[in-house]
Amino acid sequence: MQDGVIGFWTDRIYKEGRDCKSHYAGRFDVAPKGDLKNLQMMVQRWMTDNIPMQAILALGAGATALSYSNMMWNTHMYNPIIHLVSNSSRGKSTAAKVIASFVGKPEGNASTYLTFLATGNAILKRIGSISGVPFAIDEFPTAKSKKEWSDFIYTLSNG
């Protein structure tokens, strides 16, 4: 915190000269995990010279900081819906997990990485009224119909 301004730092809040641990009471696992050195090594080894993965890192970081930015700049920007398109086994799921990992764990029951193996309604119910958090939804080809897929995207984009 500088000059009485709130600062953004993942699981901590800096306000009025105090450093407070942030608390989350939802159903997603958003607590920080892992080792910073391992993360730095992964980014250096696999993403530094990989332009598409650099874009994924920017999307994940931007989506995570957007609600804070809106609060600080008194704006109302929304996170975009990004559709990763490529042939099978090209890294789309891995990229989606990287985006989801910026705010929560990318695998397991309480993750922010969801699959369309569930129905669109089940996914929307799981997300609930959470906004400003990057979620990844994979396996759209498993949707029962293009209409179901289109309806889901329309509902998601309308909040």
Side-chain angles (χ1 to χ4, degrees), residues 20-152:
C20 309
K21 183 144 178 75
S22 177
H23 297 281
Y24 169 73
R27 58 183 162 220
F28 295 98
D29 189 356
V30 298
K33 297 200 175 30
D35 180 83
L36 181 59
K37 295 274 186 212
N38 286 341
L39 177 63
Q40 290 169 328
M41 182 184 70
M42 178 191 72
V43 169
Q44 180 66 36
R45 182 172 179 189
W46 299 106
M47 298 178 184
T48 299
D49 295 326
N50 186 333
I51 302 293
M53 287 306 284
Q54 289 176 10
I56 293 301
L57 288 172
L59 289 168
T64 303
L66 183 62
S67 61
Y68 171 76
S69 300
N70 280 334
M71 181 182 69
M72 295 307 295
W73 299 327
N74 196 28
T75 57
H76 300 287
M77 293 183 284
Y78 297 102
N79 272 321
I81 296 174
I82 307 298
H83 188 165
L84 303 176
V85 180
S86 185
N87 295 331
S88 181
S89 301
R90 301 294 293 168
K92 296 180 304 294
S93 295
T94 300
K97 287 180 181 182
V98 169
I99 290 172
S101 72
F102 270 83
V103 73
K105 72 177 189 175
E107 295 179 326
N109 291 336
S111 76
T112 53
Y113 175 81
L114 312 169
T115 68
F116 214 84
L117 297 174
T119 66
N121 286 339
I123 293 171
L124 292 171
K125 183 177 180 185
R126 179 131 186 255
I127 293 172
S129 62
I130 295 174
S131 60
V133 172
F135 281 90
I137 304 170
D138 201 6
E139 301 300 340
F140 277 107
T142 63
K144 293 180 177 50
S145 70
K146 287 185 180 182
K147 180 176 179 351
E148 179 185 11
W149 188 87
S150 294
D151 290 347
F152 175 79

